[in-house]
Amino acid sequence: MNDIKMDDRLINSLSYSLARSGALPGLNVNLKQKAPEYRINLKEIDIFPTKALLNTKTDFKLSVQMRYTCHDICLFLHEMKDKVAIPLDQVIGFRITEYKETEVQLTEKFNRKYYTGNNIEVKADPTNGLLEGARSLIFIPTHSTTLTQLTTIESGIVRFKLEKLHQALMSNETVNEIYVTWVLFVERGGIVIPKDFSLEMLLDTISKRFNVILNIDRISYKNGAGELIVLRDEEDWKVAKWEASYEKKIGVEVHFT
């Protein structure tokens, strides 16, 4: 994919600040800066709903990397001799848990490519079919992994969606989806939903897809000034989406307490 040239005014208006709970005070996705591409060493990859897994008992070295230059998430298997590349446009949800586990949710029958360690594309699946039927991958990192390293996956997903939004704006296309970042205490995640989703549909989707219990009476969203505004009803939710659209953000940041 060719690099996208952006003028400073539009870059500034599209910059999406991801305020973060816990150890990391904040993360700004700056489209003018090169995206970091840390390789994260893993103890295990849990695959849902099939409950298959890849771990260091069967694979001595296992890791994952957000390769933003390739616009994919890459799994490194078999002591780094094999790779599975999942394009970012196949990602529909994301979460970092309080235990530093990272979940990536995928489209049904998601596309992927297989490579050798020398970056030669091959047809043979190095997982021997373990990814068939997968809708979610949970990456369990080694103890040495930092939260900063984990958030490179999230920032890459958000950066990719920012660029897609920029392309749509420059082409005067209608954008029918929004990216909702949700924060629940020290846990946070993201989800792509249709723009016309009601507040009730949003809450139901987050609760079921991420298996979290939400207090629907204590919800707020972060406005352009960084203030938390109470979300009481459907009209408030419409205002939150309108503000995001007006400020040319890719979506809304919602907080649960």
Side-chain angles (χ1 to χ4, degrees), residues 240-257:
K241 290 189 289 185
W242 178 87
E243 285 187 10
S245 177
Y246 179 78
E247 294 168 2
K248 295 183 173 61
K249 288 183 178 179
I250 60 171
V252 181
E253 183 171 317
V254 178
H255 290 246
F256 302 100
T257 56

Side-chain angles (χ1 to χ4, degrees), residues 4-132:
I4 300 171
K5 303 298 182 182
M6 306 184 187
D7 62 84
D8 289 346
R9 178 183 58 80
L10 192 50
I11 288 175
N12 292 335
S13 69
L14 286 174
S15 292
Y16 187 49
S17 177
L18 297 174
R20 189 174 306 283
S21 310
L24 192 64
L27 172 66
N28 294 317
V29 178
N30 187 334
L31 297 177
K32 293 189 288 185
Q33 292 181 352
K34 182 179 178 181
E37 297 188 352
Y38 296 112
R39 186 179 296 179
I40 300 166
N41 293 323
L42 303 174
K43 293 189 293 185
E44 185 170 299
I45 301 175
D46 292 341
I47 304 167
F48 288 92
T50 64
K51 297 184 179 180
L53 61 85
L54 295 162
N55 59 32
T56 51
K57 293 180 181 178
T58 56
D59 195 335
F60 183 68
K61 286 186 178 180
L62 193 66
S63 65
V64 63
Q65 184 178 32
M66 164 64 70
R67 301 191 306 177
Y68 195 75
T69 51
C70 301
H71 283 180
D72 65 28
I73 294 173
C74 187
L75 313 182
F76 292 81
L77 313 172
H78 305 143
E79 299 189 19
M80 314 302 172
K81 294 176 182 177
D82 296 301
K83 302 175 186 177
V84 180
I86 303 171
L88 289 179
D89 62 7
Q90 303 298 291
V91 176
I92 59 173
F94 176 86
R95 171 169 64 163
I96 297 178
T97 74
E98 61 180 308
Y99 302 109
K100 295 198 299 187
E101 296 177 359
T102 302
E103 179 180 5
V104 172
Q105 297 188 346
L106 304 162
T107 60
E108 187 175 3
K109 298 180 181 178
F110 64 94
N111 296 325
R112 55 195 179 274
K113 292 184 178 181
Y114 310 123
Y115 297 90
T116 66
N118 295 324
N119 293 319
I120 299 172
E121 186 174 353
V122 295
K123 294 187 180 296
D125 178 359
T127 72
N128 293 318
L130 289 181
L131 295 179
E132 289 297 325

Side-chain angles (χ1 to χ4, degrees), residues 128-146:
N128 293 318
L130 289 181
L131 295 179
E132 289 297 325
R135 295 298 307 274
S136 174
L137 303 178
I138 298 179
F139 304 125
I140 302 176
T142 58
H143 294 299
S144 61
T145 302
T146 67

